[in-house]
Amino acid sequence: MAKEISGYIKLQIKGGAANPSPPIGPALGARGVNIMEFCKQFNGRTQDKAGKVLPVIITVFKDKSFSFIVKTPPVAVQLMEVAKIKKGSPEPNRKKVGSVTWDQVKEIATDKMQDMNSFTVESSMSMVAGTARSMGVTIKGDNPFAK
C-alpha cells in the first residue's frame, strides 16, 4: 500500500548548498520533516551541480518521511549564465542587457525540455525565446523555425 501524502513543498536551492537556515529550515520544520536528513540527501544528489539554482519538489508523507525530485535550473538562470549578465533588464522593451544566439537557445531548450510542457524542441525554443525577450536579452540571427 502506498504512503499517504501530507503535502508538497517547492523550493529553489543552490546545488550542494542546502543547510537548515531559512528558507529551507522553516519550510521543512513546519511539516515535521527531518531537516538535516533532507540537507544531507540533497547535497549528496546535487554535488555535480554545485552553485547552480535548482528547483526541488519535496513530497511529505503522513509519517513525516519525504521524497524529492530535483529539476533542471530555471530558464532565466540559464539565460543569465549564457549571456554573462547578473540580472534581467528593468525595462526589457527599451533597455537590452545581453544577447544569445539561436544555438544557445536550442541548447537551453533541449536541457529544460523534460520540465516543460511542450512536445517539440521548436516549441521549447519558443518558450525560451519568450523568457529571453521578457528579460531584455536579444537573440542574434534568424529564427530557424520562423514561417
Side-chain angles (χ1 to χ4, degrees), residues 48-100:
D48 56 330
K49 298 174 186 141
K52 290 187 177 182
V53 176
L54 300 169
V56 61
I57 299 174
I58 307 160
T59 306
V60 182
F61 300 104
K62 289 275 188 205
D63 65 352
K64 307 292 184 215
S65 62
F66 63 91
S67 67
F68 62 95
I69 301 167
V70 179
K71 305 240 177 193
T72 55
V75 171
V77 171
Q78 290 184 10
L79 280 168
M80 287 190 297
E81 206 172 88
V82 169
K84 295 177 179 63
I85 56 175
K86 294 248 187 259
K87 62 180 188 171
S89 172
E91 296 180 56
N93 57 337
R94 294 191 186 99
K95 196 171 157 189
K96 304 299 179 188
V97 291
S99 64
V100 294

Side-chain angles (χ1 to χ4, degrees), residues 26-142:
L28 297 176
R31 296 274 187 176
V33 174
N34 184 338
I35 300 164
M36 286 312 296
E37 184 61 34
F38 169 77
C39 291
K40 205 179 298 176
Q41 285 184 29
F42 179 84
N43 290 340
R45 227 191 270 183
T46 60
Q47 282 176 333
D48 56 330
K49 298 174 186 141
K52 290 187 177 182
V53 176
L54 300 169
V56 61
I57 299 174
I58 307 160
T59 306
V60 182
F61 300 104
K62 289 275 188 205
D63 65 352
K64 307 292 184 215
S65 62
F66 63 91
S67 67
F68 62 95
I69 301 167
V70 179
K71 305 240 177 193
T72 55
V75 171
V77 171
Q78 290 184 10
L79 280 168
M80 287 190 297
E81 206 172 88
V82 169
K84 295 177 179 63
I85 56 175
K86 294 248 187 259
K87 62 180 188 171
S89 172
E91 296 180 56
N93 57 337
R94 294 191 186 99
K95 196 171 157 189
K96 304 299 179 188
V97 291
S99 64
V100 294
T101 64
W102 279 106
D103 290 335
Q104 292 169 323
V105 168
K106 184 174 185 175
E107 191 178 299
I108 292 170
T110 52
D111 180 45
K112 191 69 180 164
M113 186 114 173
Q114 64 193 16
D115 295 336
M116 290 180 144
N117 59 349
S118 60
F119 298 107
T120 62
V121 176
E122 295 87 38
S123 57
S124 293
M125 285 176 68
S126 157
M127 288 182 194
V128 173
T131 303
R133 195 174 307 114
S134 70
M135 291 174 65
V137 175
T138 56
I139 303 174
K140 290 180 182 173
D142 294 326

